[in-house]
Amino acid sequence: MTLILVIAITLIIAFFLSKFLFKGHQAKNLPGGSLGYPLLGESLSFRQAQKQNRGPQWFEERVSKHGPVFKTSLMGSPTVVVTGQAGNKFVLGARDDVLATKQPPTLATIAGKENIFELTGSRYKLVKGAMMSFLKPENLQNIVKHMDELIKTILLRETENKDTIKGVATMKKLTFEIASSILFGIKNEHTTEALSDDFSLAFKAIPTLPFNIPGTVYWRGLRARSRIVNRILPILKERREELSKGKLSPTSDVFTCLLTLRDENQHPISDDMIIDNYFTLIIASHDTSAILLSLMIWKLSRDSQIYNKVLDEQMDILRKREEGIDDGLTWAEIHKMKYTWRVAQELMRIIPPVFGSFRTAVKDTQYGGYDIPKGWQVFWMAHGTHMDKDIFDKPTEFDPSRFENPSKPIPPYTYLPFGGGLHTCIGNEFAKIELLITIHNLVTRFEWSQVHPEEAITRKPMPYPSMGLPIKIKPRKL
C-alpha cells in the first residue's frame, strides 16, 4: 500500500508540474498530437507496439490523424516527430546549434554524457576524427585476416558438439567478442565475458523510463554501468603505461587512439570521455551488428531462392582460389560479395535495425509551419521513407536487385540504415565487413534450419526474432 501511495502522489505532482512546465508553450503553434500521461507520456503504448512489431503502425496512426508532423512524449521528454524525406533532412542535416544530438535521458545516462552523440562542435570533430582514423578503409583492410580467424574460431567453438544453437545469443556473443578484441584489444576471456553480461543489463535499461528505484531494469542498468567502468579504468591505465614505453602505437586500437588524443590546448581528453565513447561504440558495433546478422540467418532460413544465390556467391569465392591455398579471406574477396551485401541492404530497408533517433532543440525553432520549443526532443524514423512507394517500387516486396544499378537513384535522406548527414554512423564499413565475413563462414561451413519456421520479429526495442532464433545446425559436407 505504501508503494502504491508513493506512486499515486508522484503522478499527481507530475501532473500539476507538467501543467506548469508546458504553460508557456500553450501560446506556441505546436503540432497536433498528445503528450500522454504525466512522466509516462506515450512511452508505454509505443513500447507495446514495438514489442508486437507494430512500431510503424503506431506512427502511421498518428500521421493519418495529425499529419507528417505531430507531438507526443517519449522516454520522459516532450517530442515532435517528423516524417518523410523533408523531415529526415531537417533533422539529420541540422546544425548542432539548432538540433543537438542529445539522446533521451536513459541513453545519455547509460552511455555517458560525454559520448559522441552528446558532443558538439570541436569536441565532436576531435573524437569522431580519432575513431575514424582507426575505422578508415585502409586500416580495415589490415584486420580482415584477424577478423576472419576470430569469427571462424567463435563459430566452431559455439557449435562444437551441438546440433541446435540460439541464433540471436550466438550472434550477440560473436559481435561482442569481435568488438572487444579488434576495436579495443581486450582479449582476456574472463574480462570479455563479464563485460558482455553487464552490457546486456545496460542495453535493457536504455528503452525504459528513468526511474532509479531498486529492482527496476533502469536501476540494474546503472549498476551494470558502474561495474563496466571499474573494469575499464585499469585497462586504460595499463594502455597509457604501454604507450609511454613505446610498446603500443596510437593506432593499435580505439583506446590507444583516444588516449593519445589532444584538444586545441594540447590537453588529453578525460578518462570519462574515453569510457563514455567506449560505451557508445560497443552499443553501435555490437547490438546493431548482432541484429543484422540474426535477421540474415532468419531470412536465409526462410527463403531458399535467396539462400542459394548467397551460397553460390560464397562458394564461388572458394572455387576461384588457387588449389590448396586457404589463407583465409582477403580484402579483394570481400568486394566480390556483392549479392550478399544487397540482401543485407534490402533487409535493412524493410527491417531497419535502428528505427529512428532523437535530437534536442537547442533553441526555439520551426518546421513544417509549427513551433518546436527549446528543450524538446525531435524524432525522425527510417520506416516513413523506406516503405514509400514513390521512392522504392513495390516496397513491401523483398527484392535485393533494387540496389543493383537501380533504374532511378535513391534520393538523399530516404535510405537511412546508418543515419545520415554529419552524424552518419562511423562504423558502417566495419559492420559491413563483419557481416560479410560472418555470412561467408556460416554458409560455406554449415547448414541450418529454423526450429520455429514461423518465428516472427519483435522489437525490444531493436528487431529480433521473437523466440531467440533457435536453429538446427550441422557442418556442411564439402
Side-chain angles (χ1 to χ4, degrees):
M1 284 299 292
T2 303
L3 179 60
I4 294 173
L5 183 62
V6 169
I7 293 173
I9 293 172
T10 301
L11 290 175
I12 291 169
I13 293 172
F15 174 77
F16 286 106
L17 184 60
S18 65
K19 290 290 185 182
F20 172 76
L21 290 174
F22 297 133
K23 186 177 180 181
H25 298 316
Q26 291 174 358
K28 292 182 179 293
N29 181 29
L30 296 175
S34 171
L35 294 175
Y37 298 105
L39 288 184
L40 301 176
E42 293 193 301
S43 296
L44 295 182
S45 67
F46 177 58
R47 284 192 66 198
Q48 186 62 28
Q50 289 281 69
K51 286 181 180 179
Q52 297 169 355
N53 200 27
R54 292 189 66 259
Q57 289 84 344
W58 191 92
F59 282 99
E60 286 167 5
E61 289 166 5
R62 286 153 179 78
V63 169
S64 64
K65 187 175 181 179
H66 305 292
V69 185
F70 65 88
K71 70 175 181 288
T72 181
S73 180
L74 297 174
M75 299 180 76
S77 297
T79 304
V80 171
V81 177
V82 299
T83 60
Q85 180 186 11
N88 294 344
K89 183 178 180 179
F90 166 69
V91 178
L92 296 171
R95 300 193 314 269
D96 286 336
D97 61 352
V98 177
L99 297 179
T101 54
K102 291 184 180 295
Q103 301 300 299
T106 50
L107 180 54
T109 305
I110 295 296
K113 297 188 182 300
E114 293 191 271
N115 76 74
I116 193 169
F117 294 124
E118 297 285 316
L119 301 177
T120 58
S122 61
R123 294 202 307 163
Y124 170 77
K125 292 177 182 178
L126 186 71
V127 172
K128 181 179 179 179
M131 290 183 175
M132 287 298 294
S133 69
F134 186 81
L135 295 168
K136 57 188 177 184
E138 50 265 42
N139 280 352
L140 295 179
Q141 293 183 48
N142 299 326
I143 67 171
V144 168
K145 184 177 179 61
H146 180 194
M147 187 182 287
D148 183 36
E149 291 173 350
L150 185 57
I151 288 172
K152 196 179 307 178
T153 299
I154 294 169
L155 290 176
L156 291 173
R157 183 192 70 206
E158 294 300 315
T159 57
E160 188 177 13
N161 299 322
K162 296 176 184 175
D163 57 10
T164 303
I165 62 170
K166 283 286 189 80
V168 171
T170 303
M171 290 304 102
K172 283 191 172 187
K173 184 175 287 189
L174 180 144
T175 56
F176 191 86
E177 287 193 39
I178 291 171
S180 294
S181 177
I182 293 178
L183 293 180
F184 296 101
I186 301 173
K187 304 181 188 300
N188 181 279
E189 187 175 337
H190 173 74
T191 300
T192 302
E193 195 170 313
L195 287 169
S196 178
D197 290 343
D198 278 331
F199 264 107
S200 179
L201 294 173
F203 291 150
K204 290 175 182 176
I206 291 172
T208 64
L209 292 168
F211 296 153
N212 190 14
I213 300 171
T216 62
V217 175
Y218 184 67
W219 176 81
R220 287 195 289 269
L222 291 177
R223 290 166 66 85
R225 175 186 162 84
S226 295
R227 290 192 295 271
I228 293 168
V229 170
N230 289 336
R231 289 185 185 278
I232 296 301
L233 283 173
I235 294 174
L236 293 184
K237 181 180 178 182
E238 181 182 353
R239 298 287 166 84
R240 191 175 280 112
E241 291 173 353
E242 290 177 325
L243 279 167
S244 67
K245 295 175 181 177
K247 294 181 179 179
L248 289 176
S249 76
T251 58
S252 295
D253 55 58
V254 176
F255 278 148
T256 59
C257 283
L258 294 174
L259 284 167
T260 54
L261 204 58
R262 296 294 181 270
D263 63 19
E264 60 270 21
N265 298 315
Q266 295 303 304
H267 296 148
I269 65 174
S270 68
D271 283 355
D272 286 343
M273 186 179 286
I274 294 174
I275 289 173
D276 289 353
N277 285 287
Y278 162 69
F279 269 86
T280 305
L281 203 52
I282 283 288
I283 292 170
S285 64
H286 159 246
D287 215 32
T288 50
S289 294
I291 290 164
L292 185 54
L293 282 166
S294 298
L295 293 177
M296 283 287 286
I297 295 170
W298 175 81
K299 180 62 180 177
L300 295 177
S301 303
R302 299 159 70 91
D303 192 323
S304 59
Q305 184 177 7
I306 298 288
Y307 171 80
N308 287 331
K309 287 183 179 180
V310 169
L311 176 62
D312 185 59
E313 178 176 78
Q314 299 299 335
M315 286 298 190
D316 192 53
I317 288 171
L318 299 184
R319 287 192 291 266
K320 289 181 177 177
R321 285 180 181 168
E322 292 185 33
E323 188 175 350
I325 295 178
D326 184 13
D327 289 334
L329 284 169
T330 66
W331 182 253
E333 287 173 336
I334 286 174
H335 282 273
K336 294 177 182 177
M337 303 178 187
K338 298 185 185 302
Y339 181 77
T340 304
W341 181 240
R342 290 199 296 270
V343 172
Q345 288 179 293
E346 181 69 340
L347 258 179
M348 290 188 288
R349 183 187 69 82
I350 291 180
I351 313 174
V354 178
F355 193 81
S357 68
F358 293 91
R359 298 291 189 272
T360 298
V362 177
K363 58 186 178 183
D364 289 347
T365 188
Q366 295 80 36
Y367 173 74
Y370 297 105
D371 293 324
I372 302 175
K374 177 182 177 180
W376 280 42
Q377 292 183 149
V378 182
F379 183 81
W380 70 273
M381 61 171 181
H383 175 269
T385 51
H386 282 202
M387 301 302 288
D388 187 333
K389 66 181 186 307
D390 294 326
I391 299 170
F392 296 101
D393 294 333
K394 299 178 181 179
T396 58
E397 292 185 9
F398 192 91
D399 180 14
S401 69
R402 71 174 79 245
F403 291 98
E404 179 186 5
N405 302 318
S407 56
K408 57 180 181 180
I410 299 171
Y413 295 102
T414 58
Y415 179 65
L416 300 162
F418 296 106
L422 290 173
H423 297 279
T424 300
C425 175
I426 61 175
N428 54 357
E429 285 298 318
F430 182 90
K432 178 180 179 179
I433 293 168
E434 181 180 47
L435 176 129
L436 293 174
I437 294 176
T438 302
I439 294 301
H440 172 82
N441 279 285
L442 272 171
V443 300
T444 58
R445 295 176 180 276
F446 301 95
E447 296 176 339
W448 73 87
S449 62
Q450 278 184 273
V451 173
H452 306 293
E454 301 305 315
E455 185 173 7
I457 301 297
T458 185
R459 280 187 176 267
K460 301 180 180 178
M462 304 294 194
Y464 279 110
S466 57
M467 299 179 186
L469 193 60
I471 56 173
K472 296 176 182 177
I473 191 166
K474 62 181 180 180
R476 176 177 294 281
K477 295 179 181 179
L478 298 176

